[in-house]
PDB file of all heavy atoms in Angstrom:
ATOM      1  N   ARG B   3      27.790   4.182  32.059  1.00  0.00           N
ATOM      2  CA  ARG B   3      26.690   3.633  32.436  1.00  0.00           C
ATOM      3  C   ARG B   3      26.650   3.327  33.903  1.00  0.00           C
ATOM      4  O   ARG B   3      27.670   3.340  34.584  1.00  0.00           O
ATOM      5  CB  ARG B   3      26.582   2.237  31.681  1.00  0.00           C
ATOM      6  CG  ARG B   3      26.118   2.387  30.203  1.00  0.00           C
ATOM      7  CD  ARG B   3      25.994   0.977  29.579  1.00  0.00           C
ATOM      8  NE  ARG B   3      25.545   1.094  28.246  1.00  0.00           N
ATOM      9  CZ  ARG B   3      24.410   1.431  27.668  1.00  0.00           C
ATOM     10  NH1 ARG B   3      23.458   1.744  28.398  1.00  0.00           N
ATOM     11  NH2 ARG B   3      24.315   1.415  26.365  1.00  0.00           N
ATOM     12  N   GLY B   4      25.529   3.063  34.442  1.00  0.00           N
ATOM     13  CA  GLY B   4      25.414   2.655  35.956  1.00  0.00           C
ATOM     14  C   GLY B   4      25.673   3.769  36.903  1.00  0.00           C
ATOM     15  O   GLY B   4      25.258   4.972  36.673  1.00  0.00           O
ATOM     16  N   LYS B   5      26.377   3.446  38.086  1.00  0.00           N
ATOM     17  CA  LYS B   5      26.599   4.465  39.135  1.00  0.00           C
ATOM     18  C   LYS B   5      27.115   5.771  38.587  1.00  0.00           C
ATOM     19  O   LYS B   5      28.043   5.685  37.744  1.00  0.00           O
ATOM     20  CB  LYS B   5      27.419   3.867  40.157  1.00  0.00           C
ATOM     21  CG  LYS B   5      26.674   3.506  41.479  1.00  0.00           C
ATOM     22  CD  LYS B   5      27.578   3.188  42.531  1.00  0.00           C
ATOM     23  CE  LYS B   5      26.712   2.429  43.670  1.00  0.00           C
ATOM     24  NZ  LYS B   5      27.553   1.828  44.666  1.00  0.00           N
ATOM     25  N   GLY B   6      26.677   6.823  39.095  1.00  0.00           N
ATOM     26  CA  GLY B   6      27.249   8.133  38.796  1.00  0.00           C
ATOM     27  C   GLY B   6      26.834   8.746  37.499  1.00  0.00           C
ATOM     28  O   GLY B   6      27.315   9.782  37.149  1.00  0.00           O
ATOM     29  N   MET B   7      25.915   8.125  36.860  1.00  0.00           N
ATOM     30  CA  MET B   7      25.391   8.652  35.643  1.00  0.00           C
ATOM     31  C   MET B   7      24.493   9.968  35.888  1.00  0.00           C
ATOM     32  O   MET B   7      23.717   9.898  36.765  1.00  0.00           O
ATOM     33  CB  MET B   7      24.481   7.587  34.900  1.00  0.00           C
ATOM     34  CG  MET B   7      24.586   7.546  33.395  1.00  0.00           C
ATOM     35  SD  MET B   7      23.746   6.183  32.793  1.00  0.00           S
ATOM     36  CE  MET B   7      23.203   7.053  31.271  1.00  0.00           C
ATOM     37  N   LYS B   8      24.595  10.972  34.934  1.00  0.00           N
ATOM     38  CA  LYS B   8      23.955  12.114  35.111  1.00  0.00           C
ATOM     39  C   LYS B   8      22.938  12.184  34.087  1.00  0.00           C
ATOM     40  O   LYS B   8      23.113  11.803  32.902  1.00  0.00           O
ATOM     41  CB  LYS B   8      24.842  13.343  35.034  1.00  0.00           C
ATOM     42  CG  LYS B   8      25.697  13.446  36.280  1.00  0.00           C
ATOM     43  CD  LYS B   8      26.343  14.793  36.399  1.00  0.00           C
ATOM     44  CE  LYS B   8      27.103  15.031  37.571  1.00  0.00           C
ATOM     45  NZ  LYS B   8      28.218  13.964  37.796  1.00  0.00           N
ATOM     46  N   PHE B   9      21.724  12.826  34.379  1.00  0.00           N
ATOM     47  CA  PHE B   9      20.545  12.889  33.499  1.00  0.00           C
ATOM     48  C   PHE B   9      20.156  14.273  33.318  1.00  0.00           C
ATOM     49  O   PHE B   9      20.410  15.270  34.104  1.00  0.00           O
ATOM     50  CB  PHE B   9      19.350  12.024  34.040  1.00  0.00           C
ATOM     51  CG  PHE B   9      19.790  10.588  33.940  1.00  0.00           C
ATOM     52  CD1 PHE B   9      20.125   9.913  35.289  1.00  0.00           C
ATOM     53  CD2 PHE B   9      19.536   9.804  32.948  1.00  0.00           C
ATOM     54  CE1 PHE B   9      20.472   8.555  35.226  1.00  0.00           C
ATOM     55  CE2 PHE B   9      19.952   8.452  33.035  1.00  0.00           C
ATOM     56  CZ  PHE B   9      20.339   7.866  34.134  1.00  0.00           C
ATOM     57  N   VAL B  10      19.438  14.564  32.150  1.00  0.00           N
ATOM     58  CA  VAL B  10      18.845  15.872  31.972  1.00  0.00           C
ATOM     59  C   VAL B  10      17.603  15.856  32.839  1.00  0.00           C
ATOM     60  O   VAL B  10      16.590  15.304  32.453  1.00  0.00           O
ATOM     61  CB  VAL B  10      18.591  16.058  30.412  1.00  0.00           C
ATOM     62  CG1 VAL B  10      17.878  17.480  30.351  1.00  0.00           C
ATOM     63  CG2 VAL B  10      19.762  15.878  29.634  1.00  0.00           C
ATOM     64  N   GLY B  11      17.598  16.821  33.912  1.00  0.00           N
ATOM     65  CA  GLY B  11      16.389  16.874  34.751  1.00  0.00           C
ATOM     66  C   GLY B  11      16.099  15.639  35.364  1.00  0.00           C
ATOM     67  O   GLY B  11      17.036  14.845  35.725  1.00  0.00           O
ATOM     68  N   ASP B  12      14.770  15.215  35.368  1.00  0.00           N
ATOM     69  CA  ASP B  12      14.442  13.881  35.995  1.00  0.00           C
ATOM     70  C   ASP B  12      14.089  12.937  34.871  1.00  0.00           C
ATOM     71  O   ASP B  12      13.463  11.882  35.132  1.00  0.00           O
ATOM     72  CB  ASP B  12      13.177  14.038  36.904  1.00  0.00           C
ATOM     73  CG  ASP B  12      11.895  14.501  36.113  1.00  0.00           C
ATOM     74  OD1 ASP B  12      12.078  14.959  34.866  1.00  0.00           O
ATOM     75  OD2 ASP B  12      10.751  14.388  36.598  1.00  0.00           O
ATOM     76  N   SER B  13      14.659  13.187  33.617  1.00  0.00           N
ATOM     77  CA  SER B  13      14.327  12.281  32.430  1.00  0.00           C
ATOM     78  C   SER B  13      15.254  11.254  32.442  1.00  0.00           C
ATOM     79  O   SER B  13      16.149  11.054  33.258  1.00  0.00           O
ATOM     80  CB  SER B  13      14.319  13.075  31.114  1.00  0.00           C
ATOM     81  OG  SER B  13      15.745  13.332  30.819  1.00  0.00           O
ATOM     82  N   ARG B  14      15.191  10.336  31.492  1.00  0.00           N
ATOM     83  CA  ARG B  14      16.181   9.196  31.266  1.00  0.00           C
ATOM     84  C   ARG B  14      17.216   9.534  30.186  1.00  0.00           C
ATOM     85  O   ARG B  14      17.916   8.730  29.810  1.00  0.00           O
ATOM     86  CB  ARG B  14      15.447   7.938  30.872  1.00  0.00           C
ATOM     87  CG  ARG B  14      14.642   7.357  32.124  1.00  0.00           C
ATOM     88  CD  ARG B  14      13.974   6.103  31.697  1.00  0.00           C
ATOM     89  NE  ARG B  14      12.479   6.173  31.951  1.00  0.00           N
ATOM     90  CZ  ARG B  14      11.577   5.345  31.392  1.00  0.00           C
ATOM     91  NH1 ARG B  14      11.909   4.413  30.576  1.00  0.00           N
ATOM     92  NH2 ARG B  14      10.390   5.432  31.753  1.00  0.00           N
ATOM     93  N   VAL B  15      17.269  10.819  29.811  1.00  0.00           N
ATOM     94  CA  VAL B  15      18.151  11.188  28.717  1.00  0.00           C
ATOM     95  C   VAL B  15      19.514  11.522  29.546  1.00  0.00           C
ATOM     96  O   VAL B  15      19.495  12.325  30.311  1.00  0.00           O
ATOM     97  CB  VAL B  15      17.638  12.507  27.962  1.00  0.00           C
ATOM     98  CG1 VAL B  15      18.754  12.882  27.116  1.00  0.00           C
ATOM     99  CG2 VAL B  15      16.418  12.042  27.233  1.00  0.00           C
ATOM    100  N   PRO B  16      20.692  10.805  29.032  1.00  0.00           N
ATOM    101  CA  PRO B  16      21.866  11.124  29.748  1.00  0.00           C
ATOM    102  C   PRO B  16      22.385  12.551  29.449  1.00  0.00           C
ATOM    103  O   PRO B  16      22.155  13.042  28.408  1.00  0.00           O
ATOM    104  CB  PRO B  16      22.867  10.016  29.156  1.00  0.00           C
ATOM    105  CG  PRO B  16      22.080   9.476  27.918  1.00  0.00           C
ATOM    106  CD  PRO B  16      20.602   9.823  28.015  1.00  0.00           C
ATOM    107  N   ALA B  17      23.025  13.184  30.558  1.00  0.00           N
ATOM    108  CA  ALA B  17      23.441  14.621  30.330  1.00  0.00           C
ATOM    109  C   ALA B  17      24.634  14.613  29.543  1.00  0.00           C
ATOM    110  O   ALA B  17      25.031  15.715  28.867  1.00  0.00           O
ATOM    111  CB  ALA B  17      23.551  15.184  31.787  1.00  0.00           C
ATOM    112  N   GLU B  18      25.334  13.509  29.437  1.00  0.00           N
ATOM    113  CA  GLU B  18      26.630  13.569  28.771  1.00  0.00           C
ATOM    114  C   GLU B  18      26.340  13.577  27.214  1.00  0.00           C
ATOM    115  O   GLU B  18      25.789  12.574  26.816  1.00  0.00           O
ATOM    116  CB  GLU B  18      27.506  12.342  29.168  1.00  0.00           C
ATOM    117  CG  GLU B  18      28.989  12.456  28.974  1.00  0.00           C
ATOM    118  CD  GLU B  18      29.754  11.214  29.395  1.00  0.00           C
ATOM    119  OE1 GLU B  18      29.236  10.491  30.355  1.00  0.00           O
ATOM    120  OE2 GLU B  18      30.691  10.810  28.684  1.00  0.00           O
ATOM    121  N   ARG B  19      26.959  14.432  26.623  1.00  0.00           N
ATOM    122  CA  ARG B  19      26.677  14.613  25.235  1.00  0.00           C
ATOM    123  C   ARG B  19      27.706  13.792  24.249  1.00  0.00           C
ATOM    124  O   ARG B  19      28.868  13.751  24.650  1.00  0.00           O
ATOM    125  CB  ARG B  19      26.847  16.093  24.694  1.00  0.00           C
ATOM    126  CG  ARG B  19      25.931  16.984  25.589  1.00  0.00           C
ATOM    127  CD  ARG B  19      24.453  16.627  25.291  1.00  0.00           C
ATOM    128  NE  ARG B  19      24.113  16.845  23.904  1.00  0.00           N
ATOM    129  CZ  ARG B  19      23.778  17.801  23.232  1.00  0.00           C
ATOM    130  NH1 ARG B  19      23.741  18.997  23.814  1.00  0.00           N
ATOM    131  NH2 ARG B  19      23.409  17.741  21.974  1.00  0.00           N
ATOM    132  N   LYS B  20      27.156  13.095  23.282  1.00  0.00           N
ATOM    133  CA  LYS B  20      28.164  12.448  22.415  1.00  0.00           C
ATOM    134  C   LYS B  20      28.522  13.309  21.289  1.00  0.00           C
ATOM    135  O   LYS B  20      27.807  14.117  20.744  1.00  0.00           O
ATOM    136  CB  LYS B  20      27.377  11.192  21.806  1.00  0.00           C
ATOM    137  CG  LYS B  20      27.776   9.940  22.653  1.00  0.00           C
ATOM    138  CD  LYS B  20      27.132   8.713  21.922  1.00  0.00           C
ATOM    139  CE  LYS B  20      26.004   8.338  22.744  1.00  0.00           C
ATOM    140  NZ  LYS B  20      25.001   7.452  22.179  1.00  0.00           N
ATOM    141  N   PRO B  21      29.821  13.127  20.889  1.00  0.00           N
ATOM    142  CA  PRO B  21      30.155  14.100  19.763  1.00  0.00           C
ATOM    143  C   PRO B  21      29.490  13.623  18.533  1.00  0.00           C
ATOM    144  O   PRO B  21      29.437  12.468  18.202  1.00  0.00           O
ATOM    145  CB  PRO B  21      31.751  13.757  19.654  1.00  0.00           C
ATOM    146  CG  PRO B  21      31.971  12.551  20.379  1.00  0.00           C
ATOM    147  CD  PRO B  21      30.909  12.371  21.419  1.00  0.00           C
ATOM    148  N   ASN B  22      29.009  14.599  17.679  1.00  0.00           N
ATOM    149  CA  ASN B  22      28.250  14.233  16.487  1.00  0.00           C
ATOM    150  C   ASN B  22      29.198  14.143  15.257  1.00  0.00           C
ATOM    151  O   ASN B  22      28.958  15.154  14.278  1.00  0.00           O
ATOM    152  CB  ASN B  22      27.122  15.226  16.316  1.00  0.00           C
ATOM    153  CG  ASN B  22      26.084  14.801  15.268  1.00  0.00           C
ATOM    154  OD1 ASN B  22      26.283  13.733  14.685  1.00  0.00           O
ATOM    155  ND2 ASN B  22      25.251  15.713  14.892  1.00  0.00           N
ATOM    156  N   ILE B  23      30.022  13.155  15.253  1.00  0.00           N
ATOM    157  CA  ILE B  23      30.890  13.133  14.019  1.00  0.00           C
ATOM    158  C   ILE B  23      30.778  11.737  13.426  1.00  0.00           C
ATOM    159  O   ILE B  23      30.545  10.794  14.128  1.00  0.00           O
ATOM    160  CB  ILE B  23      32.362  13.349  14.401  1.00  0.00           C
ATOM    161  CG1 ILE B  23      32.820  12.633  15.687  1.00  0.00           C
ATOM    162  CG2 ILE B  23      32.790  14.782  14.483  1.00  0.00           C
ATOM    163  CD1 ILE B  23      34.321  12.640  15.971  1.00  0.00           C
ATOM    164  N   PRO B  24      30.772  11.597  12.097  1.00  0.00           N
ATOM    165  CA  PRO B  24      30.650  10.462  11.488  1.00  0.00           C
ATOM    166  C   PRO B  24      31.693   9.363  11.799  1.00  0.00           C
ATOM    167  O   PRO B  24      32.665   9.770  12.144  1.00  0.00           O
ATOM    168  CB  PRO B  24      30.695  10.710   9.919  1.00  0.00           C
ATOM    169  CG  PRO B  24      30.634  12.195   9.870  1.00  0.00           C
ATOM    170  CD  PRO B  24      31.009  12.806  11.116  1.00  0.00           C
ATOM    171  N   LYS B  25      31.333   8.145  11.728  1.00  0.00           N
ATOM    172  CA  LYS B  25      32.279   7.031  12.122  1.00  0.00           C
ATOM    173  C   LYS B  25      33.299   7.052  10.910  1.00  0.00           C
ATOM    174  O   LYS B  25      33.094   7.558   9.756  1.00  0.00           O
ATOM    175  CB  LYS B  25      31.509   5.668  12.089  1.00  0.00           C
ATOM    176  CG  LYS B  25      30.851   5.455  13.252  1.00  0.00           C
ATOM    177  CD  LYS B  25      30.230   4.005  13.378  1.00  0.00           C
ATOM    178  CE  LYS B  25      28.950   4.123  13.956  1.00  0.00           C
ATOM    179  NZ  LYS B  25      28.037   2.924  13.550  1.00  0.00           N
ATOM    180  N   ASP B  26      34.437   6.409  11.290  1.00  0.00           N
ATOM    181  CA  ASP B  26      35.593   6.400  10.334  1.00  0.00           C
ATOM    182  C   ASP B  26      35.559   4.973   9.765  1.00  0.00           C
ATOM    183  O   ASP B  26      35.685   3.968  10.519  1.00  0.00           O
ATOM    184  CB  ASP B  26      36.814   6.565  11.097  1.00  0.00           C
ATOM    185  CG  ASP B  26      38.071   6.527  10.320  1.00  0.00           C
ATOM    186  OD1 ASP B  26      37.978   6.421   8.996  1.00  0.00           O
ATOM    187  OD2 ASP B  26      39.182   6.546  10.688  1.00  0.00           O
ATOM    188  N   TYR B  27      35.496   4.919   8.392  1.00  0.00           N
ATOM    189  CA  TYR B  27      35.440   3.517   7.793  1.00  0.00           C
ATOM    190  C   TYR B  27      36.758   3.112   7.182  1.00  0.00           C
ATOM    191  O   TYR B  27      36.733   2.215   6.339  1.00  0.00           O
ATOM    192  CB  TYR B  27      34.253   3.452   6.819  1.00  0.00           C
ATOM    193  CG  TYR B  27      32.857   3.559   7.486  1.00  0.00           C
ATOM    194  CD1 TYR B  27      32.128   4.681   7.257  1.00  0.00           C
ATOM    195  CD2 TYR B  27      32.504   2.552   8.283  1.00  0.00           C
ATOM    196  CE1 TYR B  27      30.918   4.816   7.817  1.00  0.00           C
ATOM    197  CE2 TYR B  27      31.197   2.631   8.865  1.00  0.00           C
ATOM    198  CZ  TYR B  27      30.387   3.797   8.752  1.00  0.00           C
ATOM    199  OH  TYR B  27      29.294   3.837   9.419  1.00  0.00           O
ATOM    200  N   SER B  28      37.819   3.900   7.390  1.00  0.00           N
ATOM    201  CA  SER B  28      38.909   3.680   6.566  1.00  0.00           C
ATOM    202  C   SER B  28      39.464   2.297   6.961  1.00  0.00           C
ATOM    203  O   SER B  28      40.393   1.865   6.154  1.00  0.00           O
ATOM    204  CB  SER B  28      39.999   4.845   6.954  1.00  0.00           C
ATOM    205  OG  SER B  28      40.247   4.913   8.344  1.00  0.00           O
ATOM    206  N   GLU B  29      39.294   1.713   8.057  1.00  0.00           N
ATOM    207  CA  GLU B  29      39.764   0.402   8.385  1.00  0.00           C
ATOM    208  C   GLU B  29      39.144  -0.753   7.724  1.00  0.00           C
ATOM    209  O   GLU B  29      39.470  -1.919   7.863  1.00  0.00           O
ATOM    210  CB  GLU B  29      39.731   0.228   9.950  1.00  0.00           C
ATOM    211  CG  GLU B  29      40.675   1.151  10.667  1.00  0.00           C
ATOM    212  CD  GLU B  29      42.053   0.864  10.398  1.00  0.00           C
ATOM    213  OE1 GLU B  29      42.550  -0.154  10.510  1.00  0.00           O
ATOM    214  OE2 GLU B  29      42.775   2.058  10.020  1.00  0.00           O
ATOM    215  N   TYR B  30      37.908  -0.299   7.095  1.00  0.00           N
ATOM    216  CA  TYR B  30      37.085  -1.467   6.538  1.00  0.00           C
ATOM    217  C   TYR B  30      37.878  -1.930   5.110  1.00  0.00           C
ATOM    218  O   TYR B  30      38.527  -1.152   4.532  1.00  0.00           O
ATOM    219  CB  TYR B  30      35.746  -0.935   6.173  1.00  0.00           C
ATOM    220  CG  TYR B  30      34.815  -0.889   7.380  1.00  0.00           C
ATOM    221  CD1 TYR B  30      35.159  -0.235   8.550  1.00  0.00           C
ATOM    222  CD2 TYR B  30      33.573  -1.614   7.263  1.00  0.00           C
ATOM    223  CE1 TYR B  30      34.252  -0.158   9.536  1.00  0.00           C
ATOM    224  CE2 TYR B  30      32.772  -1.654   8.505  1.00  0.00           C
ATOM    225  CZ  TYR B  30      33.025  -0.875   9.660  1.00  0.00           C
ATOM    226  OH  TYR B  30      32.204  -0.875  10.691  1.00  0.00           O
ATOM    227  N   PRO B  31      37.440  -3.127   4.620  1.00  0.00           N
ATOM    228  CA  PRO B  31      38.110  -3.544   3.467  1.00  0.00           C
ATOM    229  C   PRO B  31      37.714  -2.803   2.207  1.00  0.00           C
ATOM    230  O   PRO B  31      36.486  -2.224   2.198  1.00  0.00           O
ATOM    231  CB  PRO B  31      37.596  -5.048   3.381  1.00  0.00           C
ATOM    232  CG  PRO B  31      36.295  -5.118   4.161  1.00  0.00           C
ATOM    233  CD  PRO B  31      36.581  -4.126   5.304  1.00  0.00           C
ATOM    234  N   GLY B  32      38.613  -2.611   1.271  1.00  0.00           N
ATOM    235  CA  GLY B  32      38.322  -1.878   0.089  1.00  0.00           C
ATOM    236  C   GLY B  32      38.014  -0.448   0.288  1.00  0.00           C
ATOM    237  O   GLY B  32      38.462   0.128   1.210  1.00  0.00           O
TER     238      GLY B  32
END
Side-chain angles (χ1 to χ4, degrees):
Chain B
R3 286 186 185 280
K5 249 186 196 169
M7 217 177 144
K8 290 194 171 62
F9 295 93
V10 179
D12 65 347
S13 76
R14 287 180 234 163
V15 174
E18 203 183 325
R19 305 296 303 280
K20 263 184 254 160
N22 189 7
I23 44 170
K25 281 182 222 159
D26 179 15
Y27 296 109
S28 57
E29 296 297 309
Y30 280 60

